[in-house]
Structures are given as C-alpha cells and as structure tokens.
Coordinates of all heavy atoms in Angstrom, one line a residue:
S1 N 38.7 -84.8 84.4 CA 39.4 -83.9 83.6 C 38.4 -83.3 82.5 O 37.4 -83.9 82.3 CB 40.6 -84.5 82.9 OG 40.2 -85.5 82.0
G2 N 38.8 -82.3 81.8 CA 38.0 -81.6 80.9 C 37.7 -80.2 81.3 O 38.3 -79.6 82.2
S3 N 36.7 -79.6 80.6 CA 36.3 -78.3 80.9 C 35.3 -78.3 82.0 O 34.1 -78.5 81.8 CB 35.6 -77.6 79.6 OG 35.2 -76.3 79.9
I4 N 35.8 -78.1 83.2 CA 35.0 -78.3 84.4 C 35.0 -77.0 85.2 O 36.1 -76.4 85.5 CB 35.5 -79.4 85.3 CG1 35.5 -80.7 84.6 CG2 34.7 -79.5 86.6 CD1 36.2 -81.8 85.4
F5 N 33.8 -76.4 85.5 CA 33.7 -75.2 86.3 C 33.7 -75.6 87.8 O 34.4 -75.0 88.6 CB 32.5 -74.4 85.9 CG 32.2 -73.3 86.9 CD1 33.1 -72.2 86.8 CD2 31.2 -73.3 87.8 CE1 32.9 -71.1 87.7 CE2 31.0 -72.2 88.7 CZ 31.8 -71.1 88.6
S6 N 32.9 -76.6 88.1 CA 32.9 -77.0 89.5 C 32.4 -78.4 89.6 O 31.7 -78.9 88.7 CB 32.0 -76.1 90.4 OG 30.6 -76.2 90.0
I7 N 32.7 -79.1 90.7 CA 32.2 -80.4 91.0 C 31.6 -80.4 92.4 O 32.2 -80.0 93.3 CB 33.3 -81.5 90.9 CG1 33.9 -81.5 89.5 CG2 32.8 -82.8 91.4 CD1 35.1 -82.5 89.4
N8 N 30.4 -80.9 92.5 CA 29.7 -81.1 93.8 C 30.1 -82.5 94.3 O 31.2 -82.8 94.7 CB 28.2 -80.9 93.7 CG 27.9 -79.4 93.5 OD1 28.7 -78.5 93.8 ND2 26.7 -79.1 93.1
A9 N 29.1 -83.4 94.4 CA 29.3 -84.7 95.0 C 30.2 -85.5 94.0 O 30.1 -85.4 92.8 CB 28.0 -85.4 95.3
M10 N 31.0 -86.4 94.6 CA 31.7 -87.4 93.9 C 31.5 -88.7 94.7 O 31.2 -88.7 95.9 CB 33.2 -87.1 93.8 CG 33.5 -85.8 93.1 SD 35.3 -85.5 93.0 CE 35.6 -86.6 91.5
G11 N 31.6 -89.9 94.0 CA 31.4 -91.1 94.7 C 31.7 -92.3 93.8 O 32.3 -92.2 92.8
W12 N 31.3 -93.5 94.4 CA 31.5 -94.7 93.8 C 30.3 -95.6 93.8 O 29.6 -95.7 94.9 CB 32.7 -95.5 94.5 CG 34.0 -94.8 94.4 CD1 34.5 -93.8 95.3 CD2 35.0 -95.0 93.5 NE1 35.7 -93.4 94.9 CE2 36.1 -94.1 93.8 CE3 35.1 -95.8 92.4 CZ2 37.3 -94.1 93.0 CZ3 36.3 -95.8 91.6 CH2 37.3 -94.9 92.0
F13 N 30.0 -96.2 92.7 CA 29.0 -97.3 92.6 C 29.8 -98.6 92.3 O 31.0 -98.6 91.9 CB 28.0 -97.1 91.5 CG 26.9 -96.1 91.8 CD1 27.1 -94.7 91.7 CD2 25.7 -96.6 92.2 CE1 26.1 -93.9 92.0 CE2 24.6 -95.8 92.5 CZ 24.8 -94.4 92.4
R14 N 29.1 -99.7 92.5 CA 29.7 -101.0 92.1 C 28.6 -101.9 91.6 O 27.4 -101.7 92.0 CB 30.4 -101.7 93.2 CG 29.6 -102.2 94.4 CD 30.4 -102.7 95.5 NE 29.7 -103.2 96.6 CZ 30.2 -103.7 97.8 NH1 31.5 -103.7 97.9 NH2 29.4 -104.1 98.7
Q15 N 28.9 -102.8 90.7 CA 28.0 -103.8 90.2 C 28.7 -105.1 90.0 O 29.7 -105.2 89.3 CB 27.4 -103.3 88.9 CG 26.2 -104.2 88.4 CD 25.4 -103.5 87.3 OE1 25.9 -102.7 86.6 NE2 24.2 -103.9 87.2
A16 N 28.1 -106.1 90.7 CA 28.6 -107.5 90.6 C 27.6 -108.3 89.7 O 26.5 -107.9 89.5 CB 28.6 -108.1 92.0
P17 N 28.2 -109.4 89.1 CA 27.3 -110.2 88.2 C 26.1 -110.7 89.0 O 26.2 -111.2 90.1 CB 28.2 -111.3 87.8 CG 29.6 -110.8 87.9 CD 29.5 -109.8 89.1
G18 N 24.9 -110.5 88.4 CA 23.7 -111.0 89.0 C 23.1 -110.0 90.1 O 22.1 -110.4 90.7
K19 N 23.8 -108.9 90.3 CA 23.3 -108.0 91.3 C 23.0 -106.6 90.7 O 23.5 -106.3 89.6 CB 24.4 -107.8 92.4 CG 24.5 -108.9 93.4 CD 25.4 -108.5 94.5 CE 25.5 -109.6 95.6 NZ 26.4 -109.1 96.8
E20 N 22.2 -105.9 91.4 CA 21.9 -104.5 91.0 C 23.0 -103.6 91.3 O 23.8 -103.9 92.2 CB 20.6 -104.0 91.6 CG 19.3 -104.8 91.2 CD 18.1 -104.1 91.7 OE1 18.2 -103.2 92.6 OE2 17.0 -104.5 91.3
R21 N 23.1 -102.5 90.6 CA 24.1 -101.5 90.9 C 23.9 -100.9 92.3 O 22.7 -100.6 92.7 CB 24.0 -100.4 89.8 CG 25.0 -99.3 89.9 CD 25.0 -98.4 88.7 NE 23.6 -98.0 88.4 CZ 23.1 -97.7 87.2 NH1 23.9 -97.7 86.2 NH2 21.9 -97.3 87.1
E22 N 24.9 -100.8 93.0 CA 24.9 -100.4 94.4 C 25.7 -99.1 94.6 O 26.9 -99.1 94.2 CB 25.4 -101.5 95.3 CG 25.4 -101.2 96.8 CD 26.0 -102.3 97.6 OE1 26.9 -103.0 97.1 OE2 25.7 -102.3 98.8
L23 N 25.2 -98.2 95.3 CA 25.9 -97.0 95.7 C 26.8 -97.4 96.9 O 26.3 -97.8 97.9 CB 25.0 -95.8 96.1 CG 25.7 -94.5 96.5 CD1 26.6 -94.0 95.4 CD2 24.6 -93.5 96.9
V24 N 28.1 -97.2 96.8 CA 29.1 -97.6 97.8 C 29.4 -96.5 98.7 O 29.3 -96.6 100.0 CB 30.4 -98.1 97.1 CG1 31.4 -98.5 98.2 CG2 30.1 -99.3 96.3
A25 N 29.7 -95.3 98.2 CA 30.1 -94.2 99.0 C 30.0 -92.9 98.2 O 30.1 -92.9 97.0 CB 31.6 -94.4 99.5
V26 N 29.7 -91.8 99.0 CA 29.5 -90.5 98.4 C 30.3 -89.5 99.3 O 30.3 -89.6 100.5 CB 28.1 -90.1 98.3 CG1 27.9 -88.7 97.7 CG2 27.3 -91.1 97.5
I27 N 30.9 -88.5 98.6 CA 31.5 -87.4 99.4 C 31.1 -86.1 98.7 O 31.2 -85.9 97.5 CB 33.1 -87.6 99.4 CG1 33.7 -86.5 100.3 CG2 33.7 -87.7 98.1 CD1 35.2 -86.8 100.6
S28 N 30.7 -85.2 99.6 CA 30.4 -83.8 99.1 C 31.6 -83.0 98.9 O 32.7 -83.4 99.2 CB 29.5 -83.1 100.1 OG 30.2 -82.8 101.3
K29 N 31.4 -81.8 98.3 CA 32.5 -80.9 98.0 C 33.2 -80.5 99.3 O 34.4 -80.3 99.4 CB 32.1 -79.7 97.2 CG 33.2 -78.8 96.8 CD 32.7 -77.7 95.9 CE 33.8 -76.8 95.4 NZ 33.3 -75.7 94.5
G30 N 32.4 -80.4 100.4 CA 32.9 -80.0 101.7 C 33.5 -81.1 102.5 O 34.0 -80.9 103.6
G31 N 33.4 -82.4 102.0 CA 33.9 -83.5 102.7 C 33.0 -84.4 103.5 O 33.5 -85.3 104.1
S32 N 31.7 -84.1 103.5 CA 30.8 -84.9 104.2 C 30.6 -86.3 103.4 O 30.6 -86.3 102.2 CB 29.4 -84.3 104.3 OG 29.5 -83.1 105.1
T33 N 30.5 -87.4 104.1 CA 30.5 -88.7 103.5 C 29.3 -89.5 103.9 O 28.7 -89.3 105.0 CB 31.8 -89.5 103.9 OG1 31.9 -89.6 105.3 CG2 33.0 -88.7 103.4
N34 N 29.0 -90.4 103.1 CA 27.9 -91.4 103.3 C 28.4 -92.8 102.7 O 29.0 -92.8 101.7 CB 26.6 -91.0 102.8 CG 25.9 -90.0 103.6 OD1 25.4 -90.2 104.7 ND2 25.8 -88.8 103.1
Y35 N 28.1 -93.9 103.4 CA 28.5 -95.2 103.0 C 27.4 -96.2 103.0 O 26.4 -96.0 103.8 CB 29.6 -95.7 103.9 CG 30.9 -94.9 103.9 CD1 31.0 -93.9 104.9 CD2 31.9 -95.2 103.0 CE1 32.2 -93.2 104.9 CE2 33.1 -94.4 103.1 CZ 33.2 -93.4 104.0 OH 34.4 -92.7 104.1
A36 N 27.4 -97.1 102.1 CA 26.5 -98.3 102.2 C 26.8 -99.0 103.5 O 28.0 -99.1 103.9 CB 26.7 -99.2 101.0
D37 N 25.8 -99.6 104.1 CA 26.0 -100.3 105.3 C 27.0 -101.5 105.1 O 27.7 -101.8 106.1 CB 24.6 -100.9 105.8 CG 23.7 -99.8 106.3 OD1 24.2 -98.7 106.7 OD2 22.5 -100.1 106.4
S38 N 27.0 -102.1 104.0 CA 27.9 -103.2 103.7 C 29.4 -102.9 103.8 O 30.2 -103.8 103.9 CB 27.5 -103.9 102.4 OG 27.7 -102.9 101.3
V39 N 29.7 -101.6 103.7 CA 31.1 -101.2 103.6 C 31.5 -100.3 104.8 O 32.7 -100.0 104.9 CB 31.5 -100.6 102.3 CG1 31.1 -101.5 101.1 CG2 30.9 -99.2 102.2
K40 N 30.6 -100.0 105.6 CA 30.9 -99.1 106.7 C 32.0 -99.7 107.6 O 31.9 -100.9 108.0 CB 29.7 -98.8 107.6 CG 28.8 -97.8 106.9 CD 27.6 -97.5 107.8 CE 26.6 -96.5 107.1 NZ 25.4 -96.2 107.9
G41 N 33.0 -98.9 108.0 CA 34.0 -99.4 108.9 C 35.2 -100.0 108.1 O 36.2 -100.3 108.7
R42 N 35.0 -100.3 106.8 CA 36.0 -100.9 106.0 C 36.5 -100.0 104.9 O 37.7 -100.1 104.5 CB 35.5 -102.2 105.4 CG 35.1 -103.3 106.5 CD 34.8 -104.6 105.8 NE 33.6 -104.5 104.9 CZ 33.7 -104.8 103.6 NH1 34.9 -105.2 103.1 NH2 32.6 -104.7 102.8

C-alpha cells in the first residue's frame, strides 16, 4: 500500500536462526515465477 505507480517483481525471502537469508520465490508482473530448489514442487 501507499503511493505506488507500478510494481515489477514481488517475492519472498526467509531467514532461519543460524542461516543466511534465502530467496524462496519470485514472481514477475507478468506472472513468470522462479523458486528455490528446496521448495520446488511444494
């Protein structure tokens, strides 16, 4: 929310204790997606 003209990619990161931040999934404005290998299929 807020004063937004446009949004391109959106996605999710996660971080567990003792682990580095990990990119989980990304989706483009047009709907193309990419996933971390650890979550593919789930």
Side-chain angles (χ1 to χ4, degrees):
S1 62
S3 181
I4 301 173
F5 174 72
S6 69
I7 298 177
N8 286 343
M10 304 182 78
W12 297 87
F13 280 83
R14 68 184 181 185
Q15 187 163 27
K19 286 189 173 181
E20 294 186 352
R21 185 171 48 205
E22 176 187 26
L23 180 62
V24 177
V26 179
I27 184 168
S28 71
K29 187 175 183 178
S32 298
T33 59
N34 286 288
Y35 299 91
D37 289 341
S38 59
V39 307
K40 285 182 179 177
R42 300 187 297 118

